Amino acid sequence: TISDCISFNYFFRQNDSRKRKFDASLIASINNECDNSLQVYLKSFFPVVAQLPSFSSRNLYEKIEIILNMFTEEAQQINKNIILTKSIVGIFIQHKYNENEREIKNLIRFTCANCLLRNAKYELNAITIEIDDLPNILLSDTMDEQESSAFSRALSLYQFDSIVCEKSGSCQCYDFFFSIQQNYVNKNLKDFTEEFKLTKDNIDDMDTFIDNCLSTITKCDQIHYNEI
């Protein structure tokens, strides 16, 4: 089994009793539906474990990025520009997804397929997503007043009412909100480096320095760790 390979660093080929050295790097992924005891067991074999946040736990700007990026990917797939309103994006953001990004992609594909079917008799270079194109599971959701207010304030930062996800793979609205996230990350990193002055001459106790670094990173709420 894989666990034996990792534990003992060797394996046997089928119908062969000779030990063979196991020399490989393994990357595994599990979802939240996996049994907790099994998760603990699997994690014991991996020295590095990265836990990705669910869609619902991400900040609002990142949610907007994810939705727009997936619509842009779908625009490339169908080779047509996709036009959205801010309210359509809001409906996708408010939904509680059980399967994270896979479910989001499926619902976006379903929505675009409905829109294409509705416009099947026209030869259009762009399709406009309307409420009637959305699956019922999205329309049955309700956004609470606080969420709705936060969403409206966030999208009001973008000056245009319509959002275009281009078949070329670009989206001006996505770039706008990505820059907001990027500026947030850069500010956190700047504060981080200024606080600890990352030079060898200023490090008296390496253990304390590492503890302080980890503590600061933990406090950087919703920061993009891959930028560090």
Side-chain angles (χ1 to χ4, degrees), residues 76-191:
Q76 291 178 286
Q77 287 291 324
I78 65 177
N79 198 32
K80 293 182 185 293
N81 293 344
I82 298 175
I83 302 173
L84 307 163
T85 62
K86 293 177 180 178
S87 60
I88 294 292
V89 177
I91 291 172
F92 274 92
I93 287 175
Q94 73 184 356
H95 184 62
K96 307 302 181 186
Y97 298 96
N98 294 321
E99 300 179 18
N100 262 342
E101 294 191 6
R102 181 173 62 178
E103 185 179 359
I104 301 173
K105 284 184 179 180
N106 288 338
L107 291 175
I108 287 176
R109 287 171 180 167
F110 183 90
T111 298
C112 292
N114 282 344
C115 187
L116 286 169
L117 185 61
R118 179 169 54 81
N119 294 283
K121 60 182 179 180
Y122 307 108
E123 292 188 9
L124 303 175
N125 292 322
I127 58 173
T128 301
I129 303 298
E130 298 181 0
I131 291 291
D132 290 341
D133 298 319
L134 302 180
N136 291 332
I137 191 173
L138 291 179
L139 298 176
S140 62
D141 290 331
T142 56
M143 182 182 288
D144 66 46
E145 188 174 340
Q146 187 175 1
E147 281 183 312
S148 179
S149 177
F151 167 75
S152 297
R153 288 197 304 270
L155 275 184
S156 67
L157 298 174
Y158 185 66
Q159 59 179 321
F160 302 108
D161 291 330
S162 294
I163 299 169
V164 181
C165 301
E166 300 180 17
K167 61 184 180 182
S168 63
S170 62
C171 176
Q172 185 179 357
C173 187
Y174 171 87
D175 294 339
F176 174 79
F177 284 103
F178 180 82
S179 67
I180 292 177
Q181 283 282 93
Q182 193 68 36
N183 291 338
Y184 175 69
V185 170
N186 291 339
K187 180 182 182 302
N188 276 313
L189 291 178
K190 182 180 179 181
D191 293 344

Side-chain angles (χ1 to χ4, degrees), residues 3 16-17 21 32 35 37 55 62-63 78 87 124 130-131 133 160 162-163 174 176-177 191 196-197 206 213 221 226:
S3 60
D16 187 352
S17 59
K21 184 179 179 181
N32 291 332
D35 182 74
S37 59
F55 182 81
E62 194 172 0
K63 289 179 180 179
I78 65 177
S87 60
L124 303 175
E130 298 181 0
I131 291 291
D133 298 319
F160 302 108
S162 294
I163 299 169
Y174 171 87
F176 174 79
F177 284 103
D191 293 344
F196 290 103
K197 302 185 186 304
M206 182 58 71
C213 287
D221 181 44
N226 60 311

